[in-house]
Amino acid sequence: MVTTKKDLGVIFCSDLNFHTHIELAYCSAFKTLGFVIRTCENFKLTSLKTLYYSLVPSLLEYASVLWDSYTITDSSHIEQVQRRFLSSAANILGIELKIQEGNVLYYLTLPFCI
């Protein structure tokens, strides 16, 4: 039986697996990103970027030194939030952006994202 304990905002499991913590962080970040996208629907791209970078990454990166996403499933959850932001930013700019697995960090450094 696996039990969990939440301490300082990090969920610890008895088997030392942080999948539960990463899943909750992913869900919270995805909900926050949805709020940001709905709120900034008619705003400029700079407003979307400001809200995204101030609200969403902090949810994903909190205590990441402890729970470094070492599984493909956990990494893909985190990248899914980033891909959603990039596709929303591309939609606002009116450009087509095809993001492939593993290339998310490259797209986050493009001029329209900086």
Side-chain angles (χ1 to χ4, degrees), residues 4-76:
T4 60
K5 178 73 175 167
K6 188 171 185 177
D7 189 22
L8 296 175
V10 178
I11 299 173
F12 293 92
C13 293
S14 60
D15 62 352
L16 296 179
N17 183 347
F18 289 97
H19 179 70
T20 305
H21 173 78
I22 294 170
E23 187 71 27
L24 287 174
Y26 158 76
C27 289
S28 178
F30 213 80
K31 287 178 186 178
T32 304
L33 177 60
F35 168 74
V36 168
I37 291 169
R38 285 190 308 274
T39 304
C40 294
E41 193 173 87
N42 297 321
F43 290 5
K44 293 181 180 179
L45 181 63
T46 55
S47 301
L48 176 65
K49 287 187 331 189
T50 302
L51 283 173
Y52 171 78
Y53 283 115
S54 62
L55 298 176
V56 178
S58 61
L59 296 172
L60 290 173
E61 296 168 358
Y62 180 73
S64 62
V65 173
L66 290 174
W67 58 261
D68 185 28
S69 59
Y70 59 91
T71 64
I72 294 173
T73 304
D74 295 337
S75 295
S76 67

Side-chain angles (χ1 to χ4, degrees), residues 72-83:
I72 294 173
T73 304
D74 295 337
S75 295
S76 67
H77 277 12
I78 293 169
E79 286 186 5
Q80 185 177 0
V81 175
Q82 296 169 336
R83 283 193 301 270

